[in-house]
Amino acid sequence: MRQTIADLERQFFEETEADRLRREALVRHAEKRARRRELDRVHRHGKLRFAGLCLVLFATAALVTVAMFETLYVVMG
């Protein structure tokens, strides 16, 4: 089977086009994966910040309540 130069050139161009499309798809996939990781990290940090905020609010409420009753005890007693 003999192939002409035109056939070889056509195959070469088809392969280069397929390689280019494959590379572009890999880049898109990598960018999408990186964005997903970034969103997951932001979401995880947001959860931790919210939990810290709740903990600080509850601790503040408890301390204020204790201080209020101790002050009331000193004033009344």
Side-chain angles (χ1 to χ4, degrees):
M1 267 182 43
R2 295 191 56 159
Q3 294 181 333
T4 64
I5 291 180
D7 290 338
L8 290 173
E9 285 179 351
R10 184 179 43 78
Q11 287 177 349
F12 175 75
F13 287 124
E14 288 174 357
E15 286 179 22
T16 55
E17 180 67 18
D19 286 342
R20 185 183 62 78
L21 292 175
R22 194 174 317 117
R23 278 194 314 271
E24 289 174 356
L26 286 172
V27 167
R28 280 193 310 271
H29 182 69
E31 289 171 349
K32 189 187 298 184
R33 201 173 58 234
R35 179 71 180 143
R36 168 53 56 196
R37 279 196 311 266
E38 180 183 350
L39 287 175
D40 288 343
R41 189 176 61 246
V42 167
H43 185 69
R44 188 171 50 247
H45 289 310
K47 281 180 164 179
L48 290 174
R49 286 184 183 143
F50 182 73
L53 176 66
C54 289
L55 181 66
V56 168
L57 285 174
F58 290 139
T60 303
L63 288 173
V64 167
T65 303
V66 169
M68 180 187 65
F69 280 114
E70 285 182 0
T71 303
L72 186 62
Y73 177 74
V74 169
V75 170
M76 298 295 284

